């Protein structure tokens, strides 16, 4: 990489390029000198790379803005091109709904204004254009309020710019910026308050949630505090002030006009369902970037001004966004932000808020695992203790944590410990053994240990808990497969059945084909022993042959899947097949899940059979104390969802191919017709058409392109037919899933006529609970405004143990999973909502069940 590129990339960092200096003024002068020398013969490369740096290292935007301001003194035309390119990129981002592009380019424009490159009035026009679009969107008569998510996003982008340029705007165009702020206040008065129902980290009955400030209202309050403090922000560097005397001599450029895209039209039939669908689409396209998880006491971050917290969160989220493929660079930039105060606690809170973000984190959870691991190594004296504090605080509130967040926390924590030799002070949590088996803290420890065994081996994990040896009770069973026909003394199976199993095993070892084994079963086994014993012997034996490794399992399924398919041709028999898998791998939840998943992949069992098996009596009783059946159900629904997603992508790709093929066929046909109509001289005589060789080639091309077009159309029709069938199957799957949920909950929930709430379930026997915690709760969560919030302590350590009875805990856990499934697959559920409303979410369904579903789908309360 050339030296000027290195200087641009590393500006603001302590690096060899800048002789380890940390002075921003020195960095800017050094980089400016190098760029000025190269500008004459590398202007295009510099322009492209400079814009790329500004967009992908947004925490350095003030430095790049000042640098461009100095370049403006040398070459106005070059900087004019920067402004024009930025205008084009900004318009493209608006048109495509690129949220990160819009937000970062607006910050970049603000920095250019601070450096006298852009006229302040041009920036105000941008603000007013976005604000006008937002106001029209939420207008009941002129707009489409279901798209408020986009309107809110535009206003958040305007407010987000003010920490970077509010002081300059207030100084240079005070009346204009005041007009913008008054417009924002007016917008806030007509928009609908956004509830976090269904997306909050903690279950809190979600009543009265509208009283709390949402993200936009909270940011508006922070900006008002900033304005009253004279726009002073410690966390935003202002390097342009060091060059102010020079920058004022530069020419301020105008920013070209921009336009916001029109919001989608209201549906022809305005109904709660149609509104809900559009609202869901809008929130998918313009998601809220973060929700605050205040893990630590306010004392840990009390030195931060409200706006500084917001700015540092922006820095951290930007680094996570642009370095998601470079974990070590990500960690390095996260620990080197341009702020004059420590922020380890805020950094941990921000990362955990992203890991647990609902409905899904921006990146795969493994990314956050690696970043946390690298930060622990980069800050060995500080960050590991902060992470441990976060885990303890979350553990104290685990009973209130959303079920999806709880699952993610278990997966993250077990993986994290596996990277640090499984070291953890388990003695602190040994008291969970005194809690009932359904207590969430006890279940959490049990599930973490089970996941650790998957990542290592049983004896290693037993050794890791030697400081709390009693916790061995929560380890998964050490034994291997549970083969019914092994011949062991404790197996109550007849010699005849064992002989059948041995005979089948010999046939497999002898490489007999699936067809030969099917004939043997049909002629010799089934007539004598019947369906149940035949299925049990065959499935158990084949599972035993494939038990040595994952590869063995796949080999058995590929070679003898036809045998299983023949035996289990209907749903009832498929449920028996799944039960045999569960019985064989009863000591190994991981292999149970893998085997069932692979069988579904080979279409030996259907998703409907899996749903019925999950809701069988023996599994229902485990819903609140084990993740085993939930993992199988998650895998089944995810696989169905992924099939539909893949088909959508394939259809989209095929449609593009069809268009290309039609264009090619049209061009080939036109070329052929032109050639046929052309007069040429042959032996001095005029003849219609070009020479025969060329005509033959053009005819061949025309026929070939036509055939390709027909072939593409056929492929597209076939895929669309598959997609239509998949959507029908999906509808049947969700109907079955929710009917089962509704039935089992109706049997166990309190009388629907009572004003039942989640809080009332938790408070059963709760009046006499005595809390024994050394210090006040450090997990007071209020998504936006950091106000202390009263919460139940039913997840904590108490003198009387866990205070929720088993039946109520079963209901709480199952309702939590209902909400989690509804939220995770909302995009696939909404298309079928009318059918689900008619058949499942009826007035007869329990109110708490419907409330959990609607919360997951983010349906408004007036749609209940």
């Amino acid at each position: 990489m050339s030296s000027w590129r290195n200087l641009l990339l590393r500006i603001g960092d302590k690096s060899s390029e800048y002789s380890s200096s940390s002075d921003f003024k020195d960095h800017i002068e050094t980089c400016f000198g190098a760029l000025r020398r190269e500008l004459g013969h590398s202007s295009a490369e510099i322009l492209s790379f400079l814009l790329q740096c500004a967009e992908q290292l947004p925490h350095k935007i003030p430095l790049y803005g000042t640098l461009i301001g100095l370049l403006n003194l040398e070459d106005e035309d070059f900087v004019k091109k920067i402004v024009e390119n930025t205008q084009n990129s900004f318009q493209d981002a608006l048109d495509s709904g690129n949220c990160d592009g819009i937000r970062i380019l607006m910050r970049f424009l603000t920095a250019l204004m601070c450096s006298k490159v852009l006229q302040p009035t041009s920036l105000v026009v941008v603000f007013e254009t976005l604000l006008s679009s937002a106001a029209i969107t939420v207008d009941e008569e002129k707009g489409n309020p279901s798209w408020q998510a986009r309107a809110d996003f535009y206003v958040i982008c305007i407010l987000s710019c003010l920490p970077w340029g509010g002081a300059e705007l207030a100084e240079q165009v005070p009346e204009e910026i005041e007009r913008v702020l008054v417009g924002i206040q007016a917008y806030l008065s007509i928009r609908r308050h956004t509830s976090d129902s269904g997306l909050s980290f903690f279950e809190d009955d979600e009543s009265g949630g509208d009283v709390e400030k949402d993200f936009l209202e909270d940011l508006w309050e922070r900006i008002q505090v900033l304005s009253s403090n004279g726009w002073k922000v410690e966390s935003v560097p202002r390097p342009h002030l060091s060059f102010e005397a020079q920058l004022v001599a530069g020419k301020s450029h105008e920013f070209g006009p921009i336009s916001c895209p029109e919001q989608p039209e209201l549906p022809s039939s305005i109904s709660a369902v149609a509104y809900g669908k559009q609202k869901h689409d809008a929130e998918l396209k313009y998601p809220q970037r973060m929700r605050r998880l205040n893990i630590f006491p306010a004392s840990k971050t009390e030195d931060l001004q409200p706006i500084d917290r917001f700015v540092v969160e922006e820095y951290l989220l930007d680094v996570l966004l642009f370095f998601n493929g470079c974990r070590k660079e990500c960690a390095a930039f996260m620990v080197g932000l341009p702020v004059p105060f420590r922020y380890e606690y805020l950094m941990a809170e921000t990362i955990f808020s992203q890991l647990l973000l609902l409905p899904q984190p921006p990146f795969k959870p493994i990314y956050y695992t690696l970043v946390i691991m690298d930060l622990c190594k980069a800050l060995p004296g500080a960050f590991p203790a902060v992470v441990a504090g976060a885990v303890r605080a979350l553990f104290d509130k685990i009973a209130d944590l959303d079920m999806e967040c709880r699952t993610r926390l278990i997966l993250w924590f077990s993986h994290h410990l596996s990277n640090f030799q499984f070291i953890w002070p388990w003695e602190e949590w040994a008291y969970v053994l005194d809690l009932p088996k359904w207590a969430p803290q006890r279940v959490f420890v049990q599930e973490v240990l089970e996941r650790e065994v998957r990542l290592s081996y049983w004896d290693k994990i037993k050794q890791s808990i030697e400081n709390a040896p009693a916790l061995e009770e929560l380890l998964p069973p050490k034994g291997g497969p549970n083969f019914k026909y092994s011949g062991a003394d404790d197996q109550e199976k007849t010699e005849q059945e064992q002989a059948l199993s041995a005979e089948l095993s010999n046939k497999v070892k002898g490489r007999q084909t699936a067809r030969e084994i099917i004939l043997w079963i049909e002629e010799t086994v089934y007539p004598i022993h019947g369906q149940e014993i035949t299925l049990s012997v065959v499935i158990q034996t084949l599972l035993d042959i494939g038990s040595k490794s994952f590869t063995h399992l796949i080999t058995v399924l590929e070679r003898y899947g036809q045998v299983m398919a023949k035996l289990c041709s209907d749903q009832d028999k498929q449920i028996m097949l799944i039960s045999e898998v569960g019985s064989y791998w009863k000591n190994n939840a991981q292999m149970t899940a893998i085997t069932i998943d692979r069988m579904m992949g080979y279409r030996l069992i259907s998703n409907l059979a899996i749903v019925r098996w999950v809701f069988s009596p023996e599994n229902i009783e485990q819903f609140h104390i084990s993740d085993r059946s939930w993992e199988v159900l998650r895998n089944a629904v995810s696989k169905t969802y992924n099939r539909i997603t893949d088909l959508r992508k394939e259809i989209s790709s095929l449609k593009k191919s069809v268009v290309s093929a039609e264009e090619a066929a049209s061009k080939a046909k036109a070329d052929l017709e032109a050639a046929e109509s052309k007069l040429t001289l042959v032996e001095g005589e005029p003849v219609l058409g070009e020479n025969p060789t060329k005509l033959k080639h053009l005819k061949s091309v025309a026929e070939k392109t036509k055939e390709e077009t027909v072939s593409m159309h056929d492929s597209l029709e076939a895929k669309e037919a598959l997609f239509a069938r998949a959507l029908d199957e999906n509808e049947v799957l969700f109907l079955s899933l929710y009917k089962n949920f509704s039935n089992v909950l109706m049997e166990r929930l309190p009388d629907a006529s009572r004003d039942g709430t989640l809080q009332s379930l938790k408070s059963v026997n709760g009046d006499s609970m005595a809390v024994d915690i050394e210090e006040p709760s450090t997990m007071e969560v209020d998504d936006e405004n950091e106000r202390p919030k009263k919460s139940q302590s039913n997840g904590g350590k108490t003198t009387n143990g866990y205070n929720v009875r088993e039946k109520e805990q079963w209901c709480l856990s199952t309702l939590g999973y209902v909400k989690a499934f509804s939220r995770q697959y909302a995009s696939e559920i909404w298309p079928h909502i009318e059918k689900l409303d008619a058949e499942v979410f009826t007035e007869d369904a329990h109110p708490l069940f419907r409330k959990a579903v609607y919360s997951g789908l983010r349906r408004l309360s007036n749609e209940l």
Side-chain angles (χ1 to χ4, degrees), residues 627-689:
D627 189 53
R628 187 185 184 106
S629 54
W630 295 120
E631 182 181 7
V632 171
L633 185 58
R634 282 196 300 269
N635 289 346
V637 181
S638 292
K639 192 175 283 292
T640 306
Y641 170 79
N642 291 338
R643 281 177 186 166
I644 289 178
T645 304
D646 291 344
L647 281 170
R648 277 203 183 96
K649 290 177 182 175
E650 290 170 14
I651 288 171
S652 176
S653 177
L654 276 171
K655 283 180 177 177
K656 292 175 184 175
S657 299
V658 165
V659 171
S660 300
E662 286 176 343
E663 288 174 354
S666 179
K667 184 178 180 302
K669 184 180 178 182
D671 290 345
L672 177 60
E673 289 173 351
E676 287 176 338
S677 62
K678 191 174 181 182
L679 285 172
T680 56
L681 290 175
V682 179
E683 297 179 355
E685 295 292 328
V687 177
L688 194 63

Side-chain angles (χ1 to χ4, degrees), residues 558-577:
E558 286 181 349
R559 286 184 185 170
Y560 300 104
Q562 293 176 20
V563 178
M564 297 181 182
K566 186 73 175 176
L567 275 175
C568 309
S569 53
D570 59 47
Q571 205 176 102
D572 290 336
K573 296 186 182 71
Q574 288 174 12
I575 293 169
M576 293 170 67
L577 165 58

Side-chain angles (χ1 to χ4, degrees), residues 24-65:
F24 287 164
K25 186 178 180 183
D26 290 346
H27 284 213
I28 291 169
E29 288 174 340
T30 303
C31 190
F32 170 62
L35 292 180
R36 184 170 52 181
R37 289 191 297 273
E38 299 289 335
L39 206 54
H41 50 84
S42 301
S43 62
E45 292 89 340
I46 290 172
L47 187 149
S48 173
F49 194 72
L50 182 51
L51 288 176
Q52 195 178 352
C53 286
E55 290 178 20
Q56 298 191 22
L57 296 170
H59 62 287
K60 298 184 183 183
I61 276 179
L63 305 180
Y64 293 125

Side-chain angles (χ1 to χ4, degrees), residues 411-425:
L411 296 175
W412 165 77
F413 188 47
S414 56
H415 192 182
H416 179 76
L417 292 181
S418 74
N419 287 291
F420 293 93
Q421 301 178 324
F422 298 101
I423 294 172
W424 181 256

Side-chain angles (χ1 to χ4, degrees), residues 518-773:
I518 289 171
L519 284 172
W520 171 71
I521 292 170
E522 290 177 340
E523 295 173 359
T524 310
V525 184
Y526 186 81
I528 300 172
H529 299 281
Q531 174 70 42
E532 190 173 336
I533 291 176
T534 301
L535 190 145
S536 177
V537 169
V538 172
I539 300 303
Q540 286 267 334
T541 305
L542 291 176
L543 287 173
D544 196 56
I545 294 167
S547 65
K548 292 186 177 66
S549 69
F550 181 70
T551 307
H552 281 76
L553 171 64
I554 297 301
T555 302
V556 166
L557 292 179
E558 286 181 349
R559 286 184 185 170
Y560 300 104
Q562 293 176 20
V563 178
M564 297 181 182
K566 186 73 175 176
L567 275 175
C568 309
S569 53
D570 59 47
Q571 205 176 102
D572 290 336
K573 296 186 182 71
Q574 288 174 12
I575 293 169
M576 293 170 67
L577 165 58
I578 301 170
S579 297
E580 290 298 335
V581 174
S583 169
Y584 182 84
W585 287 115
K586 72 174 187 179
N587 297 326
N588 192 321
Q590 182 180 23
M591 282 307 300
T592 301
I594 287 175
T595 305
I596 294 172
D597 182 71
R598 289 294 82 209
M599 286 181 168
M600 183 178 168
Y602 285 109
R603 299 187 180 275
L604 301 177
I605 51 179
S606 68
N607 48 22
L608 294 176
I610 292 173
V611 169
R612 282 183 56 191
W613 175 79
V614 166
F615 285 92
S616 59
E618 62 270 22
N619 286 323
I620 289 172
E621 298 306 318
Q622 302 290 311
F623 275 6
H624 56 314
I625 58 176
S626 171
D627 189 53
R628 187 185 184 106
S629 54
W630 295 120
E631 182 181 7
V632 171
L633 185 58
R634 282 196 300 269
N635 289 346
V637 181
S638 292
K639 192 175 283 292
T640 306
Y641 170 79
N642 291 338
R643 281 177 186 166
I644 289 178
T645 304
D646 291 344
L647 281 170
R648 277 203 183 96
K649 290 177 182 175
E650 290 170 14
I651 288 171
S652 176
S653 177
L654 276 171
K655 283 180 177 177
K656 292 175 184 175
S657 299
V658 165
V659 171
S660 300
E662 286 176 343
E663 288 174 354
S666 179
K667 184 178 180 302
K669 184 180 178 182
D671 290 345
L672 177 60
E673 289 173 351
E676 287 176 338
S677 62
K678 191 174 181 182
L679 285 172
T680 56
L681 290 175
V682 179
E683 297 179 355
E685 295 292 328
V687 177
L688 194 63
E690 290 203 16
N691 69 71
T693 306
K694 186 171 182 180
L695 272 177
K696 185 178 180 182
H697 171 71
L698 289 172
K699 282 180 181 176
S700 172
V701 171
E703 289 173 2
K704 185 178 179 183
T705 53
K706 186 179 179 181
E707 288 172 3
E708 286 178 356
T709 303
V710 171
S711 174
M712 286 292 178
H713 274 291
D714 290 345
S715 297
L716 180 59
E717 286 178 12
K719 287 292 181 187
E720 286 176 336
L722 280 174
F723 182 64
R725 193 173 75 184
L727 286 180
D728 290 341
E729 290 174 356
N730 217 27
E731 182 178 83
V732 174
L733 170 66
F734 283 118
L735 280 169
S736 172
L737 179 61
Y738 281 116
K739 281 178 180 175
N740 276 287
F741 268 130
S742 181
N743 292 339
V744 297
L745 281 163
M746 188 63 88
E747 292 171 4
R748 292 165 174 77
L749 281 168
D751 184 359
S753 62
R754 286 169 45 194
D755 183 23
T757 63
L758 291 180
Q759 211 58 44
S760 67
L761 286 176
K762 291 180 181 180
S763 59
V764 174
N765 287 350
D767 295 338
S768 62
M769 185 185 72
V771 180
D772 180 21
I773 302 178

